[in-house]
């Protein structure tokens, strides 16, 4: 099992989509941001710009290539640049794609989700939580191997997998477009700070 490199990073789940608002499982289905999601991404970018020096400045943005994450990253980069930060390029990493929920995609989130996180169930044609965790850690480690602090723009289930790797309770929902500062602690348990 791959461990996270113990360096801090920013994490941002994408803004809201219509499927988020409807409580439907998205997974790899490439659903765009809705108008609320665009506003959320703008607000997240403004928050990050206002708190630019509170922790460590972002030196690069690495995003999932799915449109909801990629568009969120673009909006955040625009907001940062509009408020005095350097204009940051966005690198895409296929390893940051949301989990494949297989036959569950497009359906309402069901009672199977807890069993999936526990490792007792994988949706037909889907990806196990253990496989997702390994993929998520590898992708974030690629971003952490370079100098400076990255902003990872990604997905909700991905963050649950990363929480597991940070020795935190995994099944905690991260709201859309909430910037999260992730920092290694003195023990294996990481510290998370949400901007609001």
């Amino acid at each position: 099992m791959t461990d996270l490199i113990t360096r801090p990073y920013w994490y941002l789940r994408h803004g809201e989509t219509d499927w988020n608002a409807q409580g439907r499982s998205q997974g790899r289905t490439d659903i765009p941001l809705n108008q609320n999601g665009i506003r959320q991404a703008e607000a997240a970018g403004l928050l990050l710009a206002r708190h630019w020096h509170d922790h460590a400045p972002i030196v690069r943005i690495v995003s999932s290539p799915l449109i909801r994450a990629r568009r969120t990253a673009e909006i955040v980069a625009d907001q940062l640049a509009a408020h005095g930060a350097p204009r940051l390029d966005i690198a895409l990493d296929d390893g940051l794609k949301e989990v494949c929920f297989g036959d569950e995609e497009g359906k309402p989130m069901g009672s199977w989700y807890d069993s999936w996180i526990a490792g007792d169930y994988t949706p037909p044609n889907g990806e196990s939580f253990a496989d997702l965790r390994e993929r998520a850690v590898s992708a974030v480690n690629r971003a952490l191997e370079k100098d400076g602090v990255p902003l990872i723009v990604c997905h909700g289930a991905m963050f649950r997998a990363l929480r597991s790797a940070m020795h935190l309770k995994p099944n905690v929902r991260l709201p859309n477009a909430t910037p999260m500062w992730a920092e290694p602690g003195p023990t294996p348990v990481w510290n998370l700070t949400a901007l609001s």
Side-chain angles (χ1 to χ4, degrees), residues 56-116:
I58 297 162
V59 299
R60 71 187 156 283
I61 299 173
V62 185
S63 175
S64 159
L66 296 179
I67 189 66
R68 58 192 184 268
R70 190 174 73 236
R71 184 69 187 117
T72 299
E74 291 165 354
I75 292 168
V76 167
D78 290 344
Q79 285 284 50
L80 290 173
H83 290 87
R87 178 67 179 148
L88 300 172
D89 292 330
I90 299 165
L92 302 179
D93 187 327
D94 279 347
L96 294 175
K97 283 183 180 176
E98 181 60 299
V99 65
C100 176
F101 280 138
D103 293 359
E104 293 293 340
E105 292 193 12
K107 298 177 183 175
M109 293 301 294
S111 58
W112 58 268
Y113 200 80
D114 292 341
S115 296
W116 171 70

Side-chain angles (χ1 to χ4, degrees), residues 9-15 40-41 44-45 48 62 69 72-73 76 151-156 159 174-180:
Y9 63 96
W10 285 99
Y11 190 92
L12 182 66
R13 182 183 176 205
H14 60 80
Q40 289 174 335
L48 286 164
V62 185
T72 299
V76 167
L151 167 63
I152 309 295
V153 183
C154 207
H155 305 276
F159 196 64
L174 178 62
N176 291 100
T178 299
M180 185 71 67

Side-chain angles (χ1 to χ4, degrees), residues 149-178:
V149 173
L151 167 63
I152 309 295
V153 183
C154 207
H155 305 276
M158 289 289 288
F159 196 64
R160 285 174 166 92
L162 291 169
R163 284 182 62 91
S164 172
M166 292 186 283
H167 303 278
L168 298 165
K169 181 181 173 185
N171 200 3
V172 174
R173 185 178 185 278
L174 178 62
N176 291 100
T178 299

